Amino acid sequence: MIPEGLQYTKDHEWVRVDGAELVVGITHHAQEALGDLTFVDLPKVGKTVKAHDSLSVVESHKAASDVYAPVAGTVAAANSALATEPERINRDPYGEGWICRLKDWDRNGLKTLLTPAQYTQFLAST
């Protein structure tokens, strides 16, 4: 469940370049560890973040967890469907469960992210 074409963080976020924007979500591993999600605190459009700043919070019956910005940027859009259907992340973390889109993002920041093979290796070592 680690798709190609994405990059990953050690905090279990994924990113996909989509034109001028960067789509951000949490990995299958993260949503599975949290269990059934009950709430997503979406980032505000226009919020500027640095790499590793908290972007969002996802909550389940088990725990609440921050979603961190993989790179610096400005929130261009948030997945408003998650406000009423947080379970979209459980059902499809790499598709309809995306959390936000960043614009004006730091392209050099991508160099610090993990490839699918590196993320797989990281998971195996934890």
Side-chain angles (χ1 to χ4, degrees), residues 41-58:
D41 182 22
L42 294 168
K44 303 267 186 276
V45 172
K47 176 181 180 177
T48 299
V49 293
K50 296 177 186 165
H52 311 294
D53 281 357
S54 179
L55 260 180
S56 173
V57 175
V58 291

Side-chain angles (χ1 to χ4, degrees), residues 5 10 15 21 24 32 35 43 50 71 82 84 92 97 101 107 113 117 121:
K10 290 183 177 180
V15 300
E21 295 181 338
V24 180
E32 191 172 62
K50 296 177 186 165
V71 299
L82 298 178
T84 56
D92 188 12
R101 300 173 77 90
R107 295 192 183 278
L113 303 180
Q121 203 170 34

Side-chain angles (χ1 to χ4, degrees), residues 20-71:
E21 295 181 338
L22 194 67
V23 183
V24 180
I26 64 170
T27 65
H28 174 76
H29 175 82
Q31 68 79 28
E32 191 172 62
L34 286 165
D36 293 336
L37 295 178
T38 57
F39 178 74
V40 179
D41 182 22
L42 294 168
K44 303 267 186 276
V45 172
K47 176 181 180 177
T48 299
V49 293
K50 296 177 186 165
H52 311 294
D53 281 357
S54 179
L55 260 180
S56 173
V57 175
V58 291
E59 295 181 15
S60 70
H61 293 293
K62 290 182 182 180
S65 183
D66 284 314
V67 176
Y68 298 104
V71 299

